[in-house]
């Protein structure tokens, strides 16, 4: 790891001498689904700032928030054909490789140290190779945060407490299956429609990192916050391989270095959110409780086995690589 960082730093340091020869400024666009308060936007903006600094202003990355350049599935298509430079992708990554749903299995990651070892090691390298074959360059695995449950029915301590709760999920078969397995009545809804659906009672609850409960003011329409940590959101910072190969080698090295810095920034923001935003939500009147993680983990074992059985050896390979890095 230190050798890799030293090589990147050296390459970045040497790179600046080459920018004066560039005919014109390189301008790239990055699309992010969340708003300006989200971890993804702030982390990618940090990446853009570093790239600008390290290239002496010769490379500019314009970051667009709130899916201004299209939703995540359309961003993936645009990256693959080379008409979009960069984007952050979360759950829809399974649209290009269903096996990557392994990172979204409940309790597949135990804590942030485990995540760093897995995505910074063999599991992360394995994923990079699979996405490269799809025309997608992984610049970094950003933190999307641990997901928690909010609802208006009751505190959620064990899976049994979810029985009959109308839960909104993203449009992901796996996520729907997870919550139905726990006993909830789960169905998908676009995120931009969620506040109104909670306010009117179409849904009782939802699950997201706590940062969204603050930035979208879910505390106005939700009573209970249950700290389940049921799932960690890997936010893939991707670049079109076609766009990446057009960059000079010295710029490619800077992108790799800035990507590592963006990952570190995202983790800092995730830790900050866990600490400060939970306190903020309590101040706003939400009732906060810790869930029984052991009970939820035990209830998730069947989800793992069923998911792997449906997807075969490659799915089992990724699960094994992630689990091997737990210690």
């Amino acid at each position: 790891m230190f050798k890799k960082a030293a090589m990147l730093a050296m390459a970045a340091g040497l790179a600046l001498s080459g920018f004066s020869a560039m005919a014109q400024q390189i301008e790239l666009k990055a699309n992010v689904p969340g708003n300006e308060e989200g971890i993804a936007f702030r982390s990618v903006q940090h990446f853009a700032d570093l790239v600008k600094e390290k290239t002496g202003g010769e490379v500019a990355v314009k970051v667009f928030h709130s899916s201004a350049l299209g939703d995540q599935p359309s961003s993936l298509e645009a990256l693959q054909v080379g008409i979009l430079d960069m984007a952050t992708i979360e759950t829809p990554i399974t649209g290009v490789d269903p096996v990557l749903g392994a990172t979204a299995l409940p309790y597949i990651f135990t804590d942030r140290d485990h995540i760093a070892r897995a995505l910074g090691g063999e599991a992360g390298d394995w994923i990079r190779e699979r996405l490269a074959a799809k025309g997608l360059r992984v610049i970094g695995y950003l933190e999307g945060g641990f997901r928690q449950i909010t609802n208006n029915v009751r505190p959620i301590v064990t899976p049994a407490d979810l029985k009959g709760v109308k839960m909104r999920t993203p449009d992901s078969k796996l996520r729907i299956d997870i919550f139905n397995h726990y006993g909830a009545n789960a169905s998908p809804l676009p995120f931009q429609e969620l506040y109104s659906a909670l306010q009117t009672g179409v849904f009782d609850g939802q699950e997201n990192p706590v940062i969204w409960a603050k930035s979208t003011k879910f505390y106005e329409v939700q009573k209970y916050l249950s700290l389940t940590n049921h799932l960690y959101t890997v936010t893939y910072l991707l670049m079109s391989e076609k766009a990446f190969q057009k960059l000079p080698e010295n710029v490619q090295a800077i992108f790799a270095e800035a990507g590592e810095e963006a990952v570190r920034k995202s983790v800092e923001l995730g830790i900050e959110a866990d600490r400060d935003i939970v306190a903020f939500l309590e101040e706003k009147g939400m009732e906060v409780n810790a869930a029984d993680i052991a009970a939820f983990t035990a209830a998730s074992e069947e989800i793992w086995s069923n998911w792997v059985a449906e997807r075969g050896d490659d799915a089992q390979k990724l699960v094994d690589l992630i689990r091997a890095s737990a210690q």
Side-chain angles (χ1 to χ4, degrees):
M1 178 65 75
F2 292 111
K3 182 178 179 181
K4 179 181 178 183
M7 290 175 66
L8 290 172
M10 182 181 297
L14 294 173
L16 291 177
S17 62
F19 291 118
S20 60
M22 294 173 66
Q24 60 184 5
Q25 184 186 56
I26 296 174
E27 297 183 351
L28 303 173
K29 295 178 180 179
N31 192 35
V32 177
N35 62 31
E36 293 171 288
E37 294 183 41
I39 292 174
F41 178 84
R42 293 167 67 186
S43 301
V44 179
Q45 186 60 58
H46 183 62
F47 169 88
D49 293 341
L50 288 172
V51 167
K52 181 179 180 180
E53 175 188 339
K54 293 175 183 295
T55 62
E58 293 297 331
V59 179
V61 180
K62 172 65 174 177
V63 187
F64 294 82
H65 62 84
S66 304
S67 296
L69 302 182
D71 61 16
Q72 293 183 63
S74 63
S75 289
L76 276 170
E77 293 179 11
L79 288 170
Q80 289 179 290
V81 299
I83 60 175
L84 176 64
D85 302 308
M86 301 183 72
T88 59
I89 306 294
E90 295 176 354
T91 303
I93 195 67
T94 57
V96 295
D97 190 347
V99 168
L100 300 191
T103 64
L105 288 169
Y107 304 101
I108 188 74
F109 296 113
T110 57
D111 54 31
R112 286 187 174 90
D113 287 339
H114 178 202
I115 294 161
R117 288 192 298 271
L119 299 181
E122 286 189 66
D125 291 342
W126 193 81
I127 293 171
R128 286 177 188 272
E129 291 178 6
R130 292 181 69 89
L131 289 176
K134 305 284 188 179
L136 302 167
R137 167 76 56 155
V138 177
I139 300 299
Y141 300 107
L142 305 180
E143 162 150 349
F146 283 96
R147 300 178 83 93
Q148 319 295 353
I149 296 172
T150 69
N151 84 101
N152 283 323
V153 179
R154 65 180 74 91
I156 306 301
V157 179
T158 69
D161 295 320
L162 280 166
K163 185 175 181 180
V165 176
K166 295 178 292 184
M167 285 290 298
R168 176 269 177 187
T169 70
D171 190 7
S172 160
K173 180 180 182 301
L174 174 59
R175 197 73 56 80
I176 295 168
D177 289 346
I178 288 170
F179 277 89
N180 284 340
H181 180 78
Y182 292 154
N185 180 10
S187 56
L189 184 78
F191 185 80
Q192 58 267 33
E193 300 175 26
L194 180 52
Y195 182 97
S196 176
L198 294 171
Q199 185 179 42
T200 59
V202 173
F203 284 94
D204 299 317
Q206 60 87 43
E207 49 89 41
N208 264 299
V210 292
I211 192 167
W212 297 113
K214 178 183 179 182
S215 65
T216 56
K217 298 184 178 181
F218 287 157
Y219 55 82
E220 295 179 343
V221 293
Q222 295 278 265
K223 182 176 181 180
Y224 303 105
L225 166 62
S226 300
L227 303 178
T228 52
N229 285 338
H230 57 275
L231 190 147
Y232 176 83
T233 302
V234 178
T235 300
Y236 296 81
L237 175 55
L238 301 177
M239 186 168 186
S240 165
E241 186 65 30
K242 292 181 179 179
F244 184 81
Q245 292 302 331
K246 291 179 182 178
L247 299 175
E249 288 187 7
N250 49 11
V251 179
Q252 291 178 356
I254 286 174
F255 270 49
E257 183 182 10
E260 291 185 357
E261 291 295 328
V263 171
R264 282 190 278 271
K265 178 68 172 180
S266 71
V267 173
E268 291 174 4
L269 292 171
I271 293 172
E272 175 187 306
D274 286 350
R275 180 187 65 242
D276 297 342
I277 294 179
V278 170
F280 170 86
L281 296 174
E282 284 186 301
E283 292 174 1
K284 289 295 184 178
M286 293 194 76
E287 182 178 320
V288 179
N289 72 278
D292 185 340
I293 302 300
F296 269 97
T297 302
S300 302
E301 292 181 4
E302 185 178 345
I303 297 170
W304 284 34
S305 59
N306 290 343
W307 184 86
V308 168
E310 291 177 0
R311 285 159 184 82
D313 293 343
D314 283 350
Q316 186 65 63
K317 172 71 172 178
L318 183 51
V319 168
D320 290 343
L321 287 173
I322 293 172
R323 295 185 71 180
S325 58
Q327 299 180 4

